[in-house]
Each structure stands twice: as C-alpha cells, then as structure tokens.
C-alpha cells in the first residue's frame, strides 16, 4: 500500500522517496496540483492541516503523511521558523529565501550563527492522527556553498561538520536530518496503521 505525501515541495518528495524506498506517492499524482492554505501557529498544526486536507479529498482507504518544516535562528528570535517558505514574501523561491537569510546575518555584522531545522510529520488515517518531530542543529553562514539538498541547505553547516549541506553528499543529510529523525519515529506508526488496513 502506497503512502500519499501531502507536499508540493520537490526537495521533500525526493528525500521521502529515498528514505521510504519509493513507497511514497505525491498527492498531485492522484489529485493534481493545488495550494493548501497553511494558517496554523506551529509546525504540528500546519503538518496536520496538510495531511487532513489530502486525506479528506482521497477518502479513508488512504494513509496520508505530510511534513511541515523550517529553519530557526536564535539570533533572530527563532525566525523564520514556520514562515521559512515565505521568508522573502508570498511566492518567494528557495533562492530568494536563502539570500534573504544570508542578508539578515550580514546585517548583524557576523559571519555565522547557530541555527536548527525542525520537521513535524503528521500521519492521518481512519484509525487516527499522529504527529512526530525531529531536529537538526548546526550553524548558518553568510554565503551559499554547494548545490545539493534544497532550500537553506547551501548555508547550513550541521554540528560536527565543516561543510554545508549543499556540499555534503545526500546520504550524510539522510543520516542526520530533522526529516529522517522524525521519519524514524513515524515509521513504526505507519507500519502499525498499515497492518490494520
Ligand atoms: P509543502 O507545504 O507543500 O510541503 P513547502 O515548501 O511550503 O511545501 P513548508 O511550508 O514546510 O513546505 O516550508 C518549509 C521551508 O523550510 C521550505 O520551503 C524550505 O525552504 C525550508 N526547509 C525545510 N526543510 C528543509 C531542508 O531539509 N533543507 C533546506 N530547507 C528546508
């Protein structure tokens, strides 16, 4: 049974497919593409909004998962946080957001500062709703290096490394990321729900 992923973000979809061995299908393959309004006040709420929206459209034969995530900088009072996808304004591209955050660091007159990624994964099925979380800590720098990963990865150096996630291989990110940590917690729940279907 396929898991339906309630995301329109290609970077997330690629990572979920790698981590779930292609068991995942994007909601747009079943329903076409459309925007889901994310008006929650937390990663968990937004993850639930996305998974519920797709579950309600598909019906109760499906198991739907979603990911709401973002990067937080303590020096910016944890911004952009849940607003990471819209940091440079509505409709901003990953690059617009990345360079806006680089500019924000430069404005502070520093070259690097601690930061962390958060991922909330919601799972919605007829047997209930679940939300799990994962984090990855490190530093952000005042330049973009490398083109691997997506989003803010070219400016993020995970703790214990000297290179950005834009420079490190995908399997390094897969071993330590906020998303893989949350997915490790989600997998036993998904298995349990599949066994009931
Ligand atoms: P969906 O809501 O359709 O899943 P989205 O891109 O709007 O896609 P979010 O609202 O969760 O997703 O925003 C997450 C933003 O945080 C995303 O646009 C990235 O810029 C950033 N982000 C999250 N995880 C990331 C990661 O692993 N690497 C780099 N940037 C990441």
């Amino acid at each position: 049974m396929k898991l339906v992923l309630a995301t329109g973000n290609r970077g997330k979809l690629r990572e979920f497919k790698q981590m779930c061995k292609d068991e995942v299908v994007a909601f747009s393959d079943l329903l076409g593409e459309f925007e889901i309004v994310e008006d929650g006040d937390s990663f968990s709420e937004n993850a639930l909004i996305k998974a519920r929206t797709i579950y309600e459209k598909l019906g109760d034969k499906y198991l739907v998962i979603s990911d709401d995530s973002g990067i937080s900088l303590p020096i910016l009072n944890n911004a952009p946080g849940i607003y990471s996808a819209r940091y440079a304004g509505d409709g901003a591209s990953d690059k617009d957001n990345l360079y806006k955050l680089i500019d924000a660091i430069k404005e502070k007159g520093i070259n690097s500062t601690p930061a962390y990624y958060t991922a909330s994964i919601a799972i919605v099925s007829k047997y209930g709703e679940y939300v799990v979380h994962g984090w990855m800590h490190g530093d952000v720098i005042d330049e973009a290096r490398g083109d691997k990963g997506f989003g803010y990865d070219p400016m993020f150096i995970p703790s214990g490394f000297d290179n950005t996630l834009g420079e490190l291989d995908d399997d390094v990110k897969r071993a330590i990321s906020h998303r893989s940590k949350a997915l490790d917690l989600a997998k036993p729940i998904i298995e349990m729900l599949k066994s009931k279907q």
Side-chain angles (χ1 to χ4, degrees):
M1 184 209 170
K2 290 258 184 195
L3 284 175
V4 179
L5 184 61
T7 186
N9 182 310
R10 288 170 185 279
K12 289 183 189 176
L13 179 64
R14 190 180 61 242
E15 291 186 8
F16 271 99
K17 284 197 166 186
Q18 286 168 345
M19 294 187 291
C20 296
K21 304 202 178 3
D22 270 341
E23 232 192 336
V24 169
V25 61
F27 83 83
S28 54
D29 289 351
L30 302 169
L31 296 168
E33 290 194 18
F34 58 90
E35 279 285 314
I36 301 171
V37 179
E38 299 172 36
D39 53 5
D41 292 330
S42 64
F43 290 110
S44 328
E45 276 182 49
N46 283 333
L48 275 168
I49 288 169
K50 291 187 266 195
R52 280 181 192 144
T53 303
I54 300 303
Y55 176 78
E56 278 160 19
K57 284 186 186 287
L58 287 173
D60 68 6
K61 288 194 188 65
Y62 287 85
L63 214 167
V64 179
I65 63 173
S66 66
D67 165 309
D68 199 68
S69 45
I71 193 164
S72 301
L73 275 59
I75 199 172
L76 299 178
N77 294 322
N78 293 322
I82 62 168
Y83 303 108
S84 294
R86 288 171 270 163
Y87 187 47
D90 282 338
S93 69
D94 272 11
K95 282 235 153 27
D96 296 334
N97 291 327
L98 171 74
Y99 283 101
K100 178 161 178 183
L101 195 56
I102 286 175
D103 286 346
I105 294 171
K106 286 182 175 163
E107 276 166 26
K108 294 273 175 195
I110 49 175
N111 307 117
S112 77
T113 187
Y116 58 94
Y117 278 115
T118 304
S120 294
I121 293 180
I123 307 153
V124 174
S125 82
K126 71 172 158 187
Y127 299 105
E129 297 181 335
Y130 302 80
V131 187
V132 293
H133 311 275
W135 290 270
M136 171 168 53
H137 289 263
D139 291 289
V140 284
I141 57 172
D142 63 349
E143 60 175 331
R145 289 196 215 146
D147 53 13
K148 298 202 173 80
F150 65 96
Y152 298 92
D153 287 342
M155 67 183 297
F156 185 86
I157 300 179
S159 299
F161 292 83
D162 296 321
N163 293 307
T164 70
L165 286 175
E167 297 169 312
L168 293 164
D169 285 339
D170 288 353
D171 53 356
V172 173
K173 183 175 180 189
R174 205 153 52 236
I176 60 171
S177 83
H178 49 313
R179 186 160 296 109
S180 63
K181 287 178 192 150
L183 194 58
D184 282 347
L185 297 174
K187 278 181 175 168
I189 299 170
I190 293 167
E191 289 311 315
M192 179 271 291
L193 293 170
K194 274 183 175 174
S195 72
K196 286 171 167 279
Q197 294 272 358

